[in-house]
Amino acid sequence: MIGDRMEQYPQVVQQVVEAGHELGNHSMTHPYQDEVGLKRKTTELTRADQILRKFQPNHRRLFRPPGGYIDDALLQEVVHRGYKVVLWSYHQ
């Protein structure tokens, strides 16, 4: 989930959690990762994680990079933080 949307619609997030779904980190504001530097990427990840913890304190660490863009530096960072990267396959 996108962090700023979780802040905007907390009741929807709560419904998702109550329905038994896992929440995943999709950044704070959904910047396309190929357009921002590593510092911004990690800040986005951290801020969204803080919000996720409010709804699901023991959430699995799943990360789907916006647009599917992930470089080696970001991959190393998310793996270091214990995240599993989740992508999709329609264009890859």
Side-chain angles (χ1 to χ4, degrees), residues 38-47 74 77 81:
L38 182 60
K39 183 175 180 168
R40 166 91 184 269
K41 293 172 189 178
T42 58
T43 299
E44 292 272 335
L45 185 71
T46 300
R47 287 181 60 212
L74 181 58
E77 181 65 28
R81 292 181 183 212

Side-chain angles (χ1 to χ4, degrees), residues 4-91:
D4 63 357
R5 300 300 167 106
M6 289 188 287
E7 287 181 326
Q8 200 171 16
Y9 304 103
Q11 68 282 6
V12 174
V13 180
Q14 192 60 44
Q15 289 174 348
V16 169
V17 170
E18 288 173 2
H21 299 284
E22 290 286 337
L23 301 179
N25 192 326
H26 194 43
S27 79
M28 186 64 192
T29 64
H30 201 275
Y32 284 99
Q33 303 292 325
D34 64 334
E35 298 174 358
V36 298
L38 182 60
K39 183 175 180 168
R40 166 91 184 269
K41 293 172 189 178
T42 58
T43 299
E44 292 272 335
L45 185 71
T46 300
R47 287 181 60 212
D49 189 66
Q50 291 168 344
I51 296 166
L52 282 167
R53 289 178 182 276
K54 293 177 186 177
F55 294 98
Q56 222 169 35
N58 297 316
H59 71 92
R60 292 180 56 205
R61 293 193 172 251
L62 303 173
F63 176 64
R64 184 167 71 101
Y69 298 107
I70 190 162
D71 57 23
D72 288 337
L74 181 58
L75 179 60
Q76 288 178 18
E77 181 65 28
V78 297
V79 168
H80 174 74
R81 292 181 183 212
Y83 277 90
K84 181 175 184 173
V85 177
V86 179
L87 297 173
W88 58 99
S89 61
Y90 82 93
H91 75 337

